Amino acid sequence: MSLSEEQAASLSAETVVVAAGRPARRRDEPVNPPLVLSSTYFGTGPLSDGDRGYGRYSNPTWDPFEEALGQLEGATLPGLLYASGLAAASSALSLVPAQGVLVMPTHSYAGSLVMATELAEKGFLELRTVDITDTDAVLAQLAPAGGKAASMLWLESPTNPMLGVADIRALTAAAHQAGAVVVTDNTFSTPLVQQPLSLGSDVVLHSVTKYLSGHSDVVLGALVTSDAGLRATLLHHRTIHGGIAGPFEAWLALRGLRTLALRIERSQASAAVLAERLSTHPRVGSVRFPGLATDPGHERARAQMRGFGSVLCIEVSPVEGQHGGLSGADAADRMIRALRLWLPATSLGGVESLIERRRRHVAEPASVPDNLVRMSVGIENVEDLWADLERALATLDG
Ligand SMILES: Cc1ncc(COP(=O)(O)O)c(C=O)c1O
């Protein structure tokens, strides 16, 4: 372990992303952890806890990333890497007992919602979806009078793609009172912007695919907890269900993590500038971004985040004119096709700015407006990003 728990706690997160997860300081040790490609390990005697044994149980290339992520989230234990964010979600959902109640945001990431819905349809659990920004509504679902109390509260804040902000502290406290375990998807914020464990959550989930690795070149997920019992259960699930990370992906993710602080600093600042400018653009009906003082989640975000993230959403206005004009969705598609710098692609959190109309995904719920465009702001020059947007929006004028 290159940084002790105490050292990591005394350093700023900007330093921990660089210093954590390094090999021991011994003469001629490499300064970066090596990539270990082996599906098995030498051994003769009976396997016990801590033995590497086999490539599905452990890999030395996972360890430094897991250590660094655990320290960044303020956990007392290393994180657990998975093959994808959804492999991590599947492991987290395994904590719900048979026929237990899962309370989940109506606007969670669509893949997590599909997974939970399918489990509910098979009768494995009872799913209650709720507007996560409405604290009273969530409380009512956690412990309904005369009804079954929840086994798990799933939080995502800000939500993907509606950017709704949950009161994580109040909801986790109520969930614990009801006897539920709380899992928070922290993909949009990263531990540099929000630390759900310090707000009371039991387990933090990441799509490492996004900001943590940061270059749109790997698919990975992770869970982090300070609860040894929960971690053992999750580790067992990962080992037996096999949703493990490839060593090369893990190595790339740590390489990406080294620049997380710089990337977040730049992309958050640019997102704030773009949100302000878009909010007064005549072709934009509304902007969702918790950093705007007018956003319904602004005060909550200020209370529990260090910054507001770098994803924002706009609703493109319909265009009136000859031949019936354009619906908001068609106007959004035309604007996106006219962009030259922003990349029309799904996903988020990479160095490059990505944009997409979310309802092009059939799994996206109909409550997401069909003209809603999600923008993941990268680290390019903000004036170049703005010029591209302005020019593309101007193509709707005539
Ligand atoms: C908030 C959030 N959680 C989880 C996931 C799933 O992650 P992955 O695509 O790595 O499986 C995504 C993917 O977009 C996401 O945006």
Side-chain angles (χ1 to χ4, degrees):
M1 187 181 284
S2 60
L3 285 183
S4 68
E5 215 178 289
E6 296 73 46
Q7 272 179 309
S10 71
L11 294 168
S12 68
E14 290 79 0
T15 305
V16 175
V17 292
V18 176
R22 300 248 176 216
R25 289 169 173 255
R26 279 195 297 265
R27 188 177 181 87
D28 289 339
E29 277 290 317
V31 298
N32 287 309
L35 169 57
V36 177
L37 297 173
S38 186
S39 62
T40 191
Y41 306 93
F42 288 110
T44 50
L47 289 175
S48 58
D49 261 6
D51 286 342
R52 292 212 181 270
Y54 180 57
R56 183 160 36 74
Y57 311 161
S58 98
N59 182 297
T61 317
W62 302 343
D63 300 349
F65 184 90
E66 292 182 334
E67 179 188 311
L69 182 60
Q71 292 181 337
L72 285 167
E73 286 289 3
T76 53
L77 299 168
L80 289 167
L81 261 178
Y82 288 84
S84 66
L86 279 192
S90 167
S91 203
L93 285 180
S94 76
L95 298 174
V96 181
Q99 277 86 50
V101 173
L102 167 66
V103 175
M104 201 174 208
T106 314
H107 290 125
S108 307
Y109 166 61
S112 311
L113 266 176
V114 169
M115 190 187 299
T117 304
E118 289 181 1
L119 290 171
E121 281 167 0
K122 287 182 179 154
F124 294 162
L125 52 77
E126 184 191 328
L127 175 64
R128 296 180 190 153
T129 56
V130 64
D131 175 359
I132 210 69
T133 66
D134 182 344
T135 302
D136 289 339
V138 184
L139 299 193
Q141 294 300 335
L142 284 172
K148 202 168 170 183
S151 302
M152 178 179 284
L153 170 63
W154 190 275
L155 292 177
E156 198 182 297
S157 182
T159 53
N160 180 8
M162 297 290 269
L163 298 175
V165 180
D167 184 342
I168 299 180
R169 247 190 221 100
L171 295 181
T172 49
H176 287 154
Q177 242 179 5
V181 64
V182 181
V183 176
T184 300
D185 186 333
N186 203 28
T187 299
F188 268 39
S189 299
T190 84
L192 270 66
V193 176
Q194 177 170 273
Q195 289 185 308
L197 297 181
S198 74
L199 300 170
S201 298
D202 302 296
V203 179
V204 174
L205 182 146
H206 283 284
S207 169
V208 177
T209 314
K210 313 296 197 265
Y211 291 99
L212 298 181
S213 54
H215 295 74
S216 304
D217 52 8
V218 297
V219 175
L220 280 178
L223 296 176
V224 185
T225 180
S226 289
D227 182 315
L230 285 179
R231 190 179 187 282
T233 307
L234 295 168
L235 173 59
H236 176 77
H237 184 275
R238 182 181 73 176
T239 303
I240 291 306
H241 290 254
I244 57 162
F248 184 49
E249 283 78 359
W251 186 88
L252 277 175
L254 184 66
R255 184 181 156 95
L257 191 74
R258 299 301 186 207
T259 55
L260 180 66
L262 286 174
R263 289 186 282 107
I264 293 278
E265 191 179 321
R266 165 67 77 97
S267 63
Q268 282 205 139
S270 298
V273 170
L274 296 176
E276 285 290 349
R277 292 185 189 173
L278 285 164
S279 62
T280 56
H281 195 286
R283 290 283 171 211
V284 176
S286 69
V287 177
R288 287 166 198 264
F289 181 64
L292 289 175
T294 49
D295 190 272
H298 182 66
E299 287 310 321
R300 257 187 211 163
R302 269 167 53 104
Q304 63 192 23
M305 296 169 75
R306 277 179 52 202
F308 303 101
S310 24
V311 176
L312 60 114
C313 290
I314 58 172
E315 285 178 48
V316 179
S317 301
V319 178
E320 285 172 18
Q322 288 172 349
H323 316 300
L326 289 175
S327 68
D330 288 343
D333 285 341
R334 181 185 286 189
M335 184 273 278
I336 290 171
R337 278 196 300 272
L339 290 163
R340 292 181 194 148
L341 178 58
W342 289 76
L343 278 162
T346 197
S347 200
L348 55 108
V351 290
E352 65 291 301
S353 294
L354 299 181
I355 189 162
E356 80 168 338
R357 188 172 68 80
R358 279 304 292 179
R359 284 282 297 284
R360 78 188 180 103
H361 297 272
V362 286
E364 200 68 86
S367 50
V368 172
D370 67 354
N371 61 341
L372 184 125
V373 172
R374 189 184 71 191
M375 305 164 67
S376 167
V377 181
I379 62 167
E380 304 92 336
N381 179 287
V382 67
E383 296 305 335
D384 290 338
L385 290 174
W386 174 243
D388 197 33
L389 282 174
E390 247 195 334
R391 198 188 38 72
L393 284 164
T395 62
L396 302 178
D397 290 339

